[in-house]
Amino acid sequence: MTEPLIQARELTRVYTLGGSDVYALAGVDCTLNAGEYVAIMGPSGSGKSTFMNMVGALDRPSSGELVIAGEALSGMTPDELADFRNRKVGFVFQQFNLLPRTTALDNVALPLLYRGLPPKERNARAAECLTMVGLGDRMDHHPSQLSGGQQQRVAIARALAGKPSILLADEPTGALDSQTTIEVLDILDQLNAEGITIVLVTHESEVGARARRRIWFRDGLIVEDDQ
């Protein structure tokens, strides 16, 4: 039997505000398998983004256990978490976070620089990823020369460049019009069909409907899971 890709057990995240404890996560149990396409849904303040930050090693739990790809994140040092992110996770955000004076190719290749890959290998991998998202003919364009949808495709290519175990997409269509949203979701569908695990955070039911599984958060807890 294949080991689950993501295992969360009694996961909590507590913030102290005004002398009171506020539970962003209040004891979450969840298992996600490799190759799934999961939408994490819920209203603002429900805990969905906090959960994504935990899975992406951007934050650490107050208590509980989180194991991803066989590695326990809960006890990792900041440097170990950074290394984990670089090796295992690709991020796509609502804002594209591209370097404005850098070509699409160089934007995608940049994360590979931190892995120590030589220039020829970095550029070859970046070109491959841009071709995967339909931008093989836009590699030398700067962000200002690209539409919003094309910029998000560059961001997806950048997330894929390191061959991550998980692609985390946080409201990836929030800054896009309806037609461009469909185009970006079509790419995510294609990537998942090719075996990439996708965890999509959204508050939009139409976007969440594209996933194969939906998990709803409220008040720091999972209240529904349609697996």
Side-chain angles (χ1 to χ4, degrees):
M1 184 175 178
T2 303
E3 183 177 342
L5 181 61
I6 301 170
Q7 293 177 290
R9 294 290 177 267
E10 288 297 317
L11 204 64
T12 71
R13 185 64 172 99
V14 186
Y15 299 96
T16 301
L17 299 173
S20 300
D21 289 340
V22 177
Y23 281 79
L25 294 179
V28 169
D29 293 304
C30 184
T31 299
L32 307 181
N33 296 313
E36 285 202 86
Y37 183 175
V38 182
I40 306 297
M41 307 186 69
S44 297
S46 62
K48 62 184 187 299
S49 291
T50 302
F51 178 73
M52 191 208 75
N53 288 340
M54 297 291 175
V55 173
L58 294 170
D59 195 6
R60 60 174 68 247
S62 300
S63 63
E65 182 181 53
L66 181 61
V67 178
I68 300 179
E71 298 186 56
L73 271 64
S74 305
M76 285 187 180
T77 67
D79 285 347
E80 289 170 338
L81 287 172
D83 177 67
F84 177 87
R85 285 195 301 273
N86 192 35
R87 290 184 292 109
K88 297 292 187 180
V89 185
F91 293 94
V92 180
F93 299 102
Q94 179 175 340
Q95 303 302 324
F96 318 126
N97 296 330
L98 302 178
L99 298 175
R101 298 183 181 180
T102 304
T103 65
L105 183 72
D106 288 339
N107 265 289
V108 175
L110 183 61
L112 302 177
L113 172 66
Y114 302 124
R115 290 194 178 193
L117 271 65
K120 185 175 181 179
E121 189 174 345
R122 291 199 304 267
N123 289 339
R125 177 61 184 163
E128 177 186 351
C129 291
L130 284 167
T131 300
M132 286 173 62
V133 300
L135 289 178
D137 60 345
R138 295 287 190 274
M139 296 186 195
D140 60 346
H141 286 54
H142 290 74
S144 62
Q145 298 171 305
L146 301 171
S147 68
Q150 289 172 333
Q151 290 183 61
Q152 190 61 294
R153 290 185 187 207
V154 174
I156 293 171
R158 180 182 57 195
L160 295 173
K163 299 183 179 180
S165 299
I166 308 164
L167 180 65
L168 293 180
D170 188 7
E171 302 283 3
T173 62
L176 304 176
D177 61 49
S178 57
Q179 180 56 43
T180 308
T181 291
I182 292 171
E183 294 170 2
V184 168
L185 292 176
D186 285 345
I187 291 174
L188 295 182
D189 286 346
Q190 175 189 340
L191 294 173
N192 181 246
E194 294 170 359
I196 294 174
T197 303
I198 297 175
V199 179
L200 168 73
V201 171
T202 184
H203 66 277
E204 299 180 61
S205 57
E206 298 86 351
V207 174
R210 296 290 291 264
R212 300 177 184 274
R213 175 182 174 189
R214 282 154 294 279
I215 299 173
W216 283 267
F217 277 69
R218 184 176 293 276
D219 298 329
L221 291 167
I222 292 175
V223 295
E224 187 176 349
D225 184 346
D226 71 359
Q227 64 177 327

